[in-house]
Amino acid sequence: LGNSCFLNAILQALTHTTPLLELCRVGAHGRSCALRRVLLTPVPVFGNLHLLARHFTRGRQEDAHELLRLCLESMDESCLLNAGRAPPTVVERIFQGAFRNQVKCGACGAKSNAYDPFLDVSLELPRRVHRVRDALELFTKEETLEGENAYKCEACDALRPATKRLTIHEAPAVLVIHLKRFDLFGGKISRPVAFDDVVELSGHMSDTAVESRGPRYRLYAMVVHAGSSVGCGHYYAYARASGGGGGGGGAAAEEDSFYGTRSSGDDWYLFDDAVVRPVSAREVFDDEAYVLFY
């Protein structure tokens, strides 16, 4: 197959997303789904990568995060075109959230809000950031607009100093966090960035959000890149056994107080191409995360 580790790692993370797997097994899709009859291998998927993006070349290393985004977008389009389903689609119900970008005039207090959907949260990793928690704080930190960047307030009809803040307005059932380890030139930020088993969005939600206090999530899968640049290296994945992650709620979710998850236990496995073996939680949390699934 050539370089296929980027595909294997993403497929493992997606197939351990419990609600996605369950929805593929039920209803009209489930009656004809290959998952019911045979072991699914990456070969047919790998042979059709060009359908996701023309620049994907068989045998060449690709960015796993880019593949994830293209997969989700393609599945979303398929739900709309083939199943005739109006939004929200299965993909939107599981992965989609919404940002609120609010600008507040410093003179009159008028607020301007813009809302944008997202399928994952991409976090910058400046030198001072050593934890995902800190990167998330930076992501939703309030900015000041003044001087050359002053805000044109419609209410004042003039340039005014203002504050700007991006927050999460609608929390997704499954929270995917992408750490921006690759720069524009293909180089990589390889330093350790600590991440938590549980992520809470309190302090990062809009004040008018339905769940303004913020939901809690538990890690169920992770994709790792080992190497020095985007064009080389190796991808592999970790996943928590049984219970996996994601959306759908239920009694277990309420009991654990985790948003839309049914993660139970601490049995982790490494998925490294054809190699699958149990690993300790310490091995998982000591590794170099690239994409985190909560």
Side-chain angles (χ1 to χ4, degrees):
L1 289 180
N3 289 316
S4 61
C5 58
F6 67 98
L7 172 64
N8 290 328
I10 291 301
L11 287 179
Q12 289 295 345
L14 289 177
T15 53
H16 281 83
T17 302
T18 305
L20 181 62
L21 188 60
E22 289 182 350
L23 285 167
C24 286
R25 286 174 168 170
V26 300
H29 176 84
R31 286 192 290 271
S32 59
C33 182
L35 286 174
R36 285 186 174 273
R37 300 189 302 274
V38 299
L39 178 65
L40 182 64
T41 69
V43 175
V45 181
F46 193 68
N48 288 287
L49 281 179
H50 65 281
L51 298 178
L52 295 177
R54 290 183 178 180
H55 65 272
F56 276 4
T57 302
R58 182 166 182 163
R60 187 178 68 185
Q61 183 72 290
E62 304 290 352
D63 181 12
H65 174 249
E66 182 183 12
L67 174 66
L68 172 64
R69 290 298 306 269
L70 289 169
C71 282
L72 294 180
E73 291 169 5
S74 181
M75 285 190 291
D76 193 42
E77 291 176 5
S78 179
C79 289
L80 291 170
L81 295 175
N82 298 330
R85 298 180 67 93
T89 65
V90 166
V91 172
E92 291 167 350
R93 286 163 52 198
I94 297 173
F95 295 97
Q96 184 171 285
F99 293 129
R100 185 188 74 179
N101 195 346
Q102 183 179 90
V103 180
K104 181 179 179 181
C105 177
C108 70
K111 299 175 182 178
S112 173
N113 295 317
Y115 301 90
D116 296 295
F118 68 85
L119 295 175
D120 61 30
V121 178
S122 290
L123 300 180
E124 300 281 354
L125 297 176
R127 290 186 179 274
R128 65 183 182 276
V129 168
H130 301 283
R131 301 183 303 176
V132 170
R133 188 187 313 168
D134 298 331
L136 192 56
E137 289 283 349
L138 185 64
F139 185 76
T140 60
K141 183 180 179 180
E142 186 176 88
E143 302 176 49
T144 300
L145 304 177
E146 56 188 357
E148 294 182 354
N149 295 321
Y151 170 62
K152 176 63 183 296
C153 177
E154 293 184 1
C156 296
D157 194 26
L159 291 173
R160 300 294 191 193
T163 56
K164 177 182 178 181
R165 190 183 183 207
L166 184 70
T167 52
I168 296 174
H169 190 69
E170 295 177 7
V174 166
L175 177 65
V176 180
I177 296 178
H178 162 234
L179 304 183
K180 299 175 77 171
R181 289 190 175 274
F182 300 119
D183 60 31
L184 295 175
F185 304 101
K188 184 183 175 185
I189 300 172
S190 297
R191 70 173 184 275
V193 179
F195 53 95
D196 298 313
D197 186 34
V198 174
V199 166
E200 299 188 27
L201 292 184
S202 56
H204 305 291
M205 300 292 295
S206 304
D207 53 0
T208 56
V210 174
E211 297 180 89
S212 57
R213 294 181 60 184
R216 301 171 70 233
Y217 299 86
R218 194 179 191 197
L219 185 70
Y220 72 90
M222 178 176 80
V223 171
V224 176
H225 176 268
S228 59
S229 69
V230 67
C232 66
H234 181 60
Y235 288 98
Y236 52 92
Y238 295 102
R240 197 187 294 266
S242 70
E254 295 173 2
E255 181 181 344
D256 291 338
S257 297
F258 296 123
Y259 191 67
T261 68
R262 294 201 298 268
S263 298
S264 58
D266 293 304
D267 295 328
W268 285 91
Y269 285 83
L270 168 69
F271 297 88
D272 187 354
D273 287 335
V275 176
V276 179
R277 64 175 175 86
V279 294
S280 66
R282 181 173 181 176
E283 182 174 340
V284 176
F285 288 92
D286 282 347
D287 215 333
E288 193 176 286
Y290 180 46
V291 185
L292 298 157
F293 294 78
Y294 286 91

